[in-house]
Amino acid sequence: MSRSILAGIRLPWNSLGLVAVLVLLVLFFSNQSEYFFSAVTFRTLANQIPTLTVIAVGMTYVLLIAGIDLSVGSVMALCAAVMGVLMADAGWPLLPAIAASLLTGLACGSASGLVSARWAIPSFVVTLGMLEIARGGAYLVTDSQTRYLGASVGRIGEPLAGLGVSPALLAALAVVAVAQFVLVRTVFGRYMVAIGSNEEAARLSGLNTVRWKALVFALAGLLAALGGVFQLGYLQTADPNAGIGLELSAIAAVVIGGTSLSGGRGSVVNTFLGVLIIAVMQTGLAQLGISEPGKRIITGVVIVAAVLFDQYREPLARRFSRWRLSSGARE
């Protein structure tokens, strides 16, 4: 085998490792709980993850450009509140209410991105402010009251006959596929990687980094709004307290999926695998009777372990590359 052929091999080691972790978790919880390995459990899991999936996709893009968005949980709550109030109080039909919700999320994300990029303020600070603004907006819009919508939105989150999965899940999978394609096959994807790897070099090469960073945050806001629509369809209620701590779950899924916290490297597919790992872990721990504090501690340990692994990923990858090239040279 020639050296050039060996150099061209690109095995998805990260994805394979995540799949292996996912399989081990399923086997472990199936062995510990007689109720885990069942169609009911897997259908429930499938119909619970759309919200976290689309929000984690947006977070992947944000981390790719070396940013962070702490507002996505609150933005999701605000967008769901807008949709719920428009339908329950103003009598709006479903589709216009969804459009208003998406526009709200787009506006929140755009505001965070423009302020952070235009004035070079750390996105941590800006989105922390947006977290409070959006949460306060959710309380104001709903007058701090939950809105029950019932069947008018239930078809979004209810399983389809014959499939057992909801339209929300199918839409979330489509978002993952499109986002991965954009990341690896488009100019926009290359721009995100370039900005995250070295923003100053990207700017000097002619990229309008302010515009592209603002666009990434706008997409994150839009996807947070879509997550709100999915949650509204699943729970059939608009709760101003919804989404508290969801930004941490999204960051956890992205980090477990291998996206670098320092930017420039990531995968949407791996983020989705991270979402599945978190969902399986939380469901399995609940079936084992682990308390909420215990679940949070275990989830935190997993996040720290993923970050530690990320620190050693590149040295291990370089060592493997040198071994592969040397093997090709010997042959």
Side-chain angles (χ1 to χ4, degrees):
M1 185 179 292
S2 69
R3 176 175 178 175
S4 61
I5 294 176
L6 278 170
I9 295 175
R10 292 291 184 272
L11 294 177
W13 296 109
N14 294 347
S15 297
L16 290 176
L18 291 170
V19 171
V21 170
L22 186 60
V23 170
L24 289 174
L25 283 174
V26 171
L27 291 175
F28 172 77
F29 288 123
S30 299
N31 182 62
Q32 297 297 313
S33 172
E34 58 180 314
Y35 306 107
F36 184 84
F37 198 83
S38 66
V40 173
T41 297
F42 292 136
R43 277 199 301 267
T44 301
L45 277 171
N47 293 314
Q48 284 178 341
I49 63 173
T51 294
L52 181 57
T53 297
V54 294
I55 290 177
V57 168
M59 189 67 75
T60 302
Y61 277 12
V62 171
L63 288 180
L64 271 170
I65 63 169
I68 196 165
D69 192 342
L70 300 179
S71 68
V72 288
S74 295
V75 170
M76 185 213 75
L78 172 61
C79 295
V82 168
M83 180 177 166
V85 168
L86 288 176
M87 294 185 69
D89 297 358
W92 281 37
L94 178 63
L95 292 181
I98 289 176
S101 175
L102 296 179
L103 287 174
T104 301
L106 186 63
C108 291
S110 298
S112 295
L114 284 172
V115 171
S116 176
R118 176 64 180 82
W119 284 279
I121 302 174
S123 56
F124 175 91
V125 176
V126 177
T127 57
L128 185 62
M130 181 57 72
L131 179 153
E132 293 296 331
I133 293 169
R135 183 64 62 183
Y139 289 133
L140 285 175
V141 167
T142 61
D143 196 23
S144 300
Q145 301 295 318
T146 299
R147 296 297 194 280
Y148 177 72
L149 300 175
S152 59
V153 296
R155 58 192 178 198
I156 298 174
E158 291 176 351
L160 295 169
L163 288 179
V165 297
S166 65
L169 177 65
L170 299 178
L173 293 176
V175 168
V176 170
V178 172
Q180 179 69 11
F181 176 83
V182 168
L183 177 58
V184 301
R185 296 293 184 183
T186 69
V187 173
F188 180 40
R190 290 195 291 273
Y191 285 174
M192 285 191 289
V193 172
I195 292 171
S197 299
N198 191 323
E199 182 177 349
E200 183 63 15
R203 187 184 66 80
L204 293 174
S205 68
L207 284 184
N208 187 334
T209 55
V210 172
R211 176 194 303 165
W212 293 111
K213 289 177 70 175
L215 177 58
V216 168
F217 278 92
L219 286 174
L222 182 65
L223 290 172
L226 184 59
V229 173
F230 291 165
Q231 189 189 59
L232 205 57
Y234 181 70
L235 299 178
Q236 301 182 14
T237 58
D239 182 1
N241 293 305
I244 294 177
L246 187 61
E247 60 278 351
L248 300 181
S249 295
I251 293 171
V254 176
V255 171
I256 290 172
T259 296
S260 174
L261 290 171
S262 58
R265 186 186 73 242
S267 165
V268 176
V269 171
N270 285 359
T271 290
F272 178 63
L273 292 173
V275 170
L276 292 178
I277 288 172
I278 289 178
V280 167
M281 189 167 57
Q282 291 181 342
T283 300
L285 291 173
Q287 290 193 3
L288 293 180
I290 305 298
S291 65
E292 185 62 26
K295 288 192 292 183
R296 296 177 75 91
I297 291 171
I298 293 172
T299 302
V301 170
V302 171
I303 294 171
V304 173
V307 173
L308 289 174
F309 177 75
D310 183 67
Q311 298 299 312
Y312 294 97
R313 187 196 314 273
E314 284 300 319
L316 289 173
R318 287 194 296 269
R319 188 174 301 177
F320 174 75
S321 296
R322 288 195 296 268
W323 172 82
R324 189 178 60 189
L325 292 175
S326 63
S327 298
R330 286 195 297 270
E331 292 190 21

